[in-house]
Amino acid sequence: MSPDLGAEVTRLREQVATLHGELVRYNLVAWTAGNVSARVPGADLMVIKPSGVSYDDLRPDNMIVCDLDGVVVEGDLSPSSDTAAHAYVYRAMPEVGGVVHTHSSYATAWAACGESIPCHLTAQADEFGGEIPVGPFALIGGDDIGKGIVATLSGHRSPAVLMRNHGVFTIGKDARAAVKAAVMCEDVARTAHLARTLGRPVPMAREDIDSLYDRYQNVYGQPGVSATP
């Protein structure tokens, strides 16, 4: 591994370890469930958390480096059980730089119902550009989950998919953007659930959704600064 590539891997180990703390901060995970990964730019590699390790014990030095077939390149622990799914997404979607998986309560409740989240909120139009779709059921361990993610999100504006009977997967241009999408997905899912308990949510016009999405993606925030915090 070249010095430049080694420095980038070190940076991503630190970032991925830190971003797992954001999943805890926003109550998106329980116990050791959930994971964040990041593609290593310029190499067929990714960084992902180890399997079954407490969030309190995650550190940059125990993040795992894998190739894009999910084979461990660096690290003494076994990688996440979702490694094959992340690897498939990176192979199939070269524009994706980060993948996140959670079982956040409200969004996963929609996944348990096998139901997409309709777009009834301006915040959802901003971030997701329409509904948050539901993907097919797939067993954990192989790349079937990854295939379902790619099939559902290809050509879709949403960076989040609700995998049926499982949970949430999000993608982004980098790992931080994917974490933001996971946070926003849970926020939207919670509000959509509350709206349904109150009555029948009011539909939004397609042209309004398109306008809001364009504004948020291209105008919102400070010039030259990403909307991702």
Side-chain angles (χ1 to χ4, degrees):
M1 189 178 293
S2 70
D4 286 348
L5 182 57
E8 183 64 7
V9 168
T10 297
R11 182 187 73 81
L12 289 173
R13 283 179 181 268
E14 294 172 354
Q15 182 188 57
V16 170
T18 299
L19 286 172
H20 280 93
E22 296 296 287
L23 302 187
V24 176
R25 176 186 175 193
Y26 286 100
N27 297 312
L28 303 185
V29 294
W31 204 240
T32 62
N35 39 71
V36 178
S37 72
R39 182 197 294 271
V40 179
D44 290 332
L45 299 172
M46 66 179 186
V47 176
I48 195 166
K49 89 176 192 38
S51 177
V53 175
S54 168
Y55 278 80
D56 290 339
D57 296 328
L58 294 180
R59 306 182 308 274
D61 63 357
N62 62 23
M63 296 296 103
I64 310 301
V65 181
C66 297
D67 66 20
L68 297 191
D69 289 313
V71 176
V72 174
V73 174
E74 287 186 0
D76 299 325
L77 301 174
S78 298
S80 166
S81 58
D82 291 304
T83 295
H86 289 239
Y88 186 90
V89 172
Y90 290 128
R91 293 198 306 271
M93 305 179 81
E95 71 279 13
V96 170
V99 179
V100 171
H101 172 47
T102 79
H103 301 151
S104 59
S105 299
Y106 284 89
T108 300
W110 288 84
C113 292
E115 188 175 352
S116 61
I117 304 176
C119 189
H120 294 128
L121 301 164
T122 59
Q124 185 173 342
D126 287 345
E127 182 72 25
F128 301 96
E131 72 168 9
I132 298 175
V134 64
F137 174 75
L139 291 174
I140 300 168
D143 60 11
D144 285 348
I145 291 173
K147 291 176 181 177
I149 295 167
V150 171
T152 305
L153 293 184
S154 293
H156 205 292
R157 293 195 296 206
S158 174
V161 56
L162 312 174
M163 293 300 286
R164 185 168 60 85
N165 302 112
H166 186 175
V168 183
F169 281 85
T170 61
I171 59 175
K173 62 182 178 59
D174 54 30
R176 192 169 187 84
V179 169
K180 179 195 174 188
V183 172
M184 297 302 295
C185 180
E186 179 65 3
D187 183 62
V188 163
R190 180 173 55 248
T191 307
H193 167 75
L194 292 172
R196 279 203 173 176
T197 66
L198 292 172
R200 184 173 298 174
V202 177
M204 293 179 66
R206 181 76 250 178
E207 57 266 29
D208 291 334
I209 294 172
D210 291 344
S211 177
L212 288 161
Y213 181 76
D214 179 70
R215 178 201 67 89
Y216 187 73
Q217 300 298 322
N218 300 307
V219 178
Y220 175 83
Q222 301 302 312
V225 179
S226 170
T228 304

